[in-house]
Amino acid sequence: IQKSVSARNQLDAQLNENQIVKSELNKLDDSNNVYKLIGPVLVKQDLIEAKQNVQKRIEYIENEISRQEKSTKELKKKQDSIRDDITNLQQQFQKTQIRAAGVR
């Protein structure tokens, strides 16, 4: 569950970063130059293409967040089920010990 929560936090950070980039790109017009960092090189990129790329990244991250939430819920449900099983086994064990002590 910790890994799942950690991954979710990382996705949230990425989503926030991309939303900031999107808002900055929305402030620009066609007369502005947009550059994309590819390795150590800045490459000129079309504004519309840059906006589309950022929007696709946001959609992908939102889908990943949704998938991560579903996975976390399933893990918590499984954890609760196992916890209930352990509690029941402990109660059965205690009852057995009490019966065994009463027989002596």
Side-chain angles (χ1 to χ4, degrees), residues 27-75:
K27 294 176 185 177
L28 303 177
D29 59 32
D30 291 335
S31 66
N32 298 109
N33 290 326
V34 177
Y35 295 90
K36 181 177 184 176
L37 184 63
I38 300 177
V41 180
L42 283 175
V43 178
K44 192 171 183 179
Q45 188 176 28
D46 181 56
L47 179 60
I48 294 171
E49 182 182 346
K51 286 180 179 182
Q52 289 172 345
N53 287 343
V54 171
Q55 184 59 41
K56 285 179 187 175
R57 265 186 275 154
I58 288 172
E59 290 169 6
Y60 173 79
I61 292 168
E62 288 173 341
N63 288 336
E64 283 298 303
I65 287 173
S66 180
R67 188 183 66 78
Q68 202 67 40
E69 285 176 347
K70 184 177 179 181
S71 174
T72 301
K73 283 180 185 179
E74 288 173 5
L75 287 172

Side-chain angles (χ1 to χ4, degrees), residues 5-17:
V5 170
S6 176
R8 167 63 197 262
N9 290 339
Q10 186 177 6
L11 287 169
D12 281 336
Q14 289 175 354
L15 180 61
N16 288 335
E17 181 181 324

